[in-house]
Amino acid sequence: MAFSPPEKVLNCDFQINYVNLKPLYECVVENYSGSGIITKLSGKHLPDYSNIDVESVVFSGSEDIFELPQNLGDFFPNLINLDVSHAELVKIDSADFKTTPKLQYLTLNDVLVQSIPGYLFKYTPKMKKVLIKSNELKHVNEHAFDGVESTFE
């Protein structure tokens, strides 16, 4: 009997959020925990919207997320905004962004990440803004933000 990994479901509350007066169709993640590759998506899209329209994923308040799922872009190929706030995220790596080359904005507020590795954004050439507040950072590699053009807060 072959071992199959447990199903990892991303539960989305789909909604429209206005950022800088621009409407963003987003998935607000509900009850996500642990780490691993997402195997299934659940949640009801708003009328006339689908996964391809999702530009933002918000994990805010998903306290039990320890690592980012490395395949968000497989479900949301037009993802430009990712917000992971108030979570127990302990690790972040460039592989987390391999499927999200259109990502432009990343928010990591109040998480447990202690180290940011070099070349973190090598798969996100369009990255414009990284917001990192209230973290337990102890080390940032000197090449961590290589390739990011714009703003840091």
Side-chain angles (χ1 to χ4, degrees):
M1 187 165 157
F3 171 77
S4 60
E7 190 172 73
K8 184 56 94 175
V9 179
L10 190 69
N11 299 306
C12 289
D13 176 16
F14 293 104
Q15 53 191 259
I16 294 177
N17 186 12
Y18 287 85
V19 177
N20 296 327
L21 302 176
K22 178 187 182 287
L24 281 181
Y25 187 54
E26 70 182 6
C27 160
V28 177
V29 178
E30 302 174 336
N31 303 320
Y32 185 85
S33 64
S35 61
I37 302 297
I38 299 165
T39 57
K40 186 178 175 183
L41 185 67
S42 74
K44 186 174 180 185
H45 282 286
L46 296 178
D48 300 323
Y49 286 93
S50 68
N51 287 356
I52 202 161
D53 299 307
V54 174
E55 293 181 298
S56 178
V57 173
V58 178
F59 281 94
S60 185
S62 294
E63 294 87 7
D64 294 333
I65 182 172
F66 306 113
E67 294 179 358
L68 291 176
Q70 293 182 350
N71 63 332
L72 278 174
D74 293 344
F75 292 92
F76 309 121
N78 292 311
L79 188 66
I80 62 170
N81 181 67
L82 178 60
D83 182 343
V84 182
S85 298
H86 313 291
E88 293 189 11
L89 182 69
V90 295
K91 175 185 168 289
I92 192 163
D93 189 84
S94 64
D96 298 337
F97 307 110
K98 202 169 191 175
T99 65
T100 57
K102 295 180 181 181
L103 193 65
Q104 297 176 28
Y105 306 99
L106 176 66
T107 303
L108 298 171
N109 289 338
D110 194 26
V111 296
L112 302 178
V113 172
Q114 293 185 5
S115 177
I116 297 182
Y119 307 99
L120 181 62
F121 303 104
K122 70 181 179 182
Y123 298 114
T124 55
K126 297 181 183 229
M127 185 63 70
K128 292 180 181 177
K129 187 173 185 177
V130 179
L131 179 63
I132 302 173
K133 289 184 180 179
S134 302
N135 285 294
E136 297 187 14
L137 278 177
K138 292 185 169 102
H139 174 73
V140 177
N141 183 284
E142 66 180 293
H143 299 287
F145 298 101
D146 284 10
V148 177
E149 309 176 0
S150 251
T151 309
F152 299 93
E153 291 184 21

